[in-house]
Amino acid sequence: MHNVQVNGEDILKRQLELAEANRRLLEEKRVVAVSVMGAIGSGKTSLIERMIDRLAGQGLHVGTIAADSAGDDDHQRFLSHGADSINLNTQDDCHLDAHTVDHAMEHLPMDKLDILFIENVGNLICPADFPLGTANEMVVISTTEGDDMVRKHPKIFAQTDILVLNKIDLADAVGMDPQRVVSDYSRINPHGKAVLTDARHEKGIDDLLEALGFECTNTQ
Amino acid sequence: MHNVQVNGEDILKRQLELAEANRRLLEEKRVVAVSVMGAIGSGKTSLIERMIDRLAGQGLHVGTIAADSAGDDDHQRFLSHGADSINLNTQDDCHLDAHTVDHAMEHLPMDKLDILFIENVGNLICPADFPLGTANEMVVISTTEGDDMVRKHPKIFAQTDILVLNKIDLADAVGMDPQRVVSDYSRINPHGKAVLTDARHEKGIDDLLEALGFECTNTQ
């Protein structure tokens, strides 16, 4: 992040303080929060929908915060899967920040929730600088974007310990090699876990939940 | 754009002045510049590669400015197609601005160029606020991102008169309806032209060149 001071206040320091306040609130309320970052159209919403279904099937209460520049497409999808959801339109802002998330949580039934998915605005640059105070973070890209996504955005991948490569079923059709993404990622983030998914056909969802630390028994 | 003042200077006004200076330089040098915005991994680079090949085949001299957060993947691809290219790494910045483009042009053989493609950083929010001074602008999305891209990012589509929907060959595989994107776009931008392409299989490239005002004779 740029070292930006506004009226003498260090923006980065203030963001860290706000994120820490969110972290304390989430711990107090015993809500496991997951920050879901990723490319536009990479399948963040579809992956969250699949995880909502599985977690709700375990009797867990799931909340969502859906952020987009405009519209409420994702929010409506989460509602239709039974999540308690808040829609956020960031307009000209290309990312969520901890303060916005704090306000969204004021409108969610935090005492009831077990899990909170926070879907960020779709891009791989801006969200990297704004910690939200969640226990878990993941970043989603998809095979159709090509095999150069990690090399082009090293910062967000270096600091996020779960990479989800979605639309794995389309890798052959677009002539991309998933292994190239996985090896770029392991070079830049040796401790990170790469999970391959196909949200549309419900593949890899249990692997993703496991990487996030959820234990899910497949009841199907 | 947010109304931001830095040291009393209006940032938006300054950007418009810098863009105007670029426009004058491009006119003086008789270079037709095209600003290529769009989603991450939507196929901006592939589309430019195809256009370079066709335009070079007409004896035209093509330059490129390749912008990414990090790396030089796109720049190397343009060089391999014979373009005069400059690589720009924007790091934490999610967009190009007119001043950066001005500096890039100082390193290009502007007296020789006929056409200059400026590939912006991949996202649909930040570049909307920063005019570069080009004669043409286009914004690229792809079918695999879903049919909600225009609704989620109304600003960039309302102000950009060419929408390219790429990877049209994959629409069925991901279950999306291209017509939905086209109709969202025509509602938000009645004067805009929507062009459907499949850069990988070289479909729709002549339509795109025509939309950009280039007359290309197919020599194949």
Side-chain angles (χ1 to χ4, degrees):
Chain A
M1 176 183 245
H2 302 293
N3 187 3
V4 180
Q5 302 236 340
V6 174
N7 292 338
E9 185 179 51
D10 184 317
I11 294 281
L12 176 57
K13 185 160 165 280
R14 181 71 183 134
Q15 287 297 326
L16 291 171
E17 288 166 0
L18 291 165
E20 182 55 28
N22 286 353
R23 191 183 303 277
R24 281 198 303 270
L25 175 74
L26 288 159
E27 276 183 11
E28 183 193 318
K29 300 289 183 185
R30 296 171 180 266
V31 178
V32 177
V34 181
S35 169
V36 182
M37 299 170 286
I40 300 172
S42 58
K44 295 183 295 300
T45 309
S46 297
L47 287 163
I48 295 172
E49 286 176 312
R50 303 287 170 264
M51 290 193 283
I52 292 172
D53 290 348
R54 275 177 170 66
L55 294 165
Q58 307 282 314
L60 296 167
H61 202 121
V62 183
T64 52
I65 297 174
D68 262 312
S69 177
D72 68 347
D73 286 76
D74 298 349
H75 170 63
Q76 294 297 338
R77 287 169 62 180
F78 295 144
L79 288 177
S80 77
H81 283 259
D84 278 307
S85 185
I86 296 290
N87 190 52
L88 290 178
N89 284 145
T90 61
Q91 300 187 0
D92 288 347
D93 272 341
C94 49
H95 60 88
L96 284 175
D97 60 41
H99 187 60
T100 314
V101 168
D102 176 30
H103 281 304
M105 290 194 295
E106 288 171 7
H107 297 275
L108 282 168
M110 297 299 288
D111 288 321
K112 275 168 56 189
L113 295 187
D114 299 300
I115 293 148
L116 174 61
F117 290 108
I118 304 175
E119 182 179 342
N120 218 310
V121 181
N123 83 67
L124 297 173
I125 299 173
C126 317
D129 286 324
F130 293 86
L132 304 179
T134 60
N136 295 287
E137 296 183 331
M138 55 187 260
V139 58
V140 184
I141 52 177
S142 72
T143 58
T144 56
E145 292 144 23
D147 63 20
D148 50 10
M149 288 297 107
V150 172
R151 295 194 298 280
K152 285 183 172 181
H153 308 92
K155 186 171 183 175
I156 199 166
F157 291 102
Q159 67 188 37
T160 309
D161 286 343
I162 300 177
L163 159 70
V164 182
L165 181 58
N166 193 33
K167 305 186 194 175
I168 199 74
D169 55 314
L170 295 175
D172 285 346
V174 296
M176 77 84 74
D177 177 10
Q179 199 47 48
R180 187 126 187 233
V181 164
V182 172
S183 84
D184 281 347
Y185 181 56
S186 68
R187 194 160 33 240
I188 216 164
N189 188 338
H191 304 294
K193 296 181 202 169
V195 183
L196 309 188
T197 60
D198 167 9
R200 190 167 146 79
H201 302 105
E202 307 205 19
K203 303 277 172 63
I205 309 302
D206 289 331
D207 294 342
L208 174 55
L209 285 166
E210 192 185 322
L212 287 166
F214 297 118
E215 283 180 31
C216 272
T217 315
N218 194 326
T219 54
Q220 292 185 319
Chain B
M1 178 184 239
H2 304 291
N3 186 2
V4 180
Q5 301 235 340
V6 174
N7 292 339
E9 185 179 52
D10 183 318
I11 293 281
L12 177 55
K13 185 159 167 279
R14 181 69 183 136
Q15 286 298 323
L16 291 172
E17 288 166 0
L18 291 165
E20 182 55 29
N22 285 353
R23 192 182 304 276
R24 280 198 303 270
L25 175 74
L26 288 159
E27 276 183 12
E28 181 193 318
K29 299 291 183 183
R30 296 170 179 267
V31 178
V32 177
V34 181
S35 168
V36 182
M37 299 170 286
I40 300 171
S42 58
K44 296 183 294 299
T45 309
S46 296
L47 286 164
I48 296 170
E49 286 176 313
R50 302 289 169 264
M51 290 193 284
I52 292 171
D53 290 348
R54 274 175 170 67
L55 294 165
Q58 307 282 314
L60 295 167
H61 202 121
V62 183
T64 52
I65 297 174
D68 262 312
S69 177
D72 67 348
D73 285 76
D74 298 350
H75 169 63
Q76 293 298 338
R77 288 168 63 180
F78 294 145
L79 287 177
S80 77
H81 283 259
D84 277 307
S85 186
I86 296 290
N87 189 51
L88 289 178
N89 285 144
T90 61
Q91 299 188 0
D92 288 347
D93 273 340
C94 49
H95 60 88
L96 284 174
D97 61 40
H99 186 60
T100 314
V101 168
D102 176 32
H103 281 305
M105 290 194 296
E106 288 172 7
H107 297 275
L108 282 168
M110 296 299 287
D111 287 321
K112 275 168 55 188
L113 295 188
D114 298 299
I115 293 149
L116 174 62
F117 289 108
I118 304 175
E119 182 179 342
N120 218 310
V121 181
N123 83 65
L124 296 174
I125 300 174
C126 318
D129 285 323
F130 293 86
L132 304 179
T134 60
N136 296 286
E137 295 184 332
M138 55 186 261
V139 56
V140 184
I141 53 177
S142 72
T143 59
T144 56
E145 293 144 21
D147 62 21
D148 50 11
M149 289 297 106
V150 173
R151 294 193 299 279
K152 286 183 172 180
H153 308 91
K155 186 172 182 172
I156 199 166
F157 291 102
Q159 67 188 38
T160 308
D161 287 345
I162 300 176
L163 159 69
V164 182
L165 180 58
N166 192 33
K167 306 185 193 177
I168 198 74
D169 56 314
L170 295 174
D172 285 346
V174 297
M176 77 83 73
D177 176 11
Q179 199 49 46
R180 187 125 188 233
V181 164
V182 172
S183 83
D184 282 346
Y185 181 56
S186 68
R187 195 159 34 239
I188 215 165
N189 188 339
H191 304 294
K193 295 181 201 168
V195 183
L196 310 187
T197 60
D198 167 8
R200 190 167 146 78
H201 302 104
E202 307 204 21
K203 302 278 171 64
I205 309 301
D206 289 331
D207 294 342
L208 174 55
L209 286 165
E210 192 184 324
L212 287 166
F214 297 118
E215 283 180 33
C216 272
T217 313
N218 192 327
T219 53
Q220 291 185 319

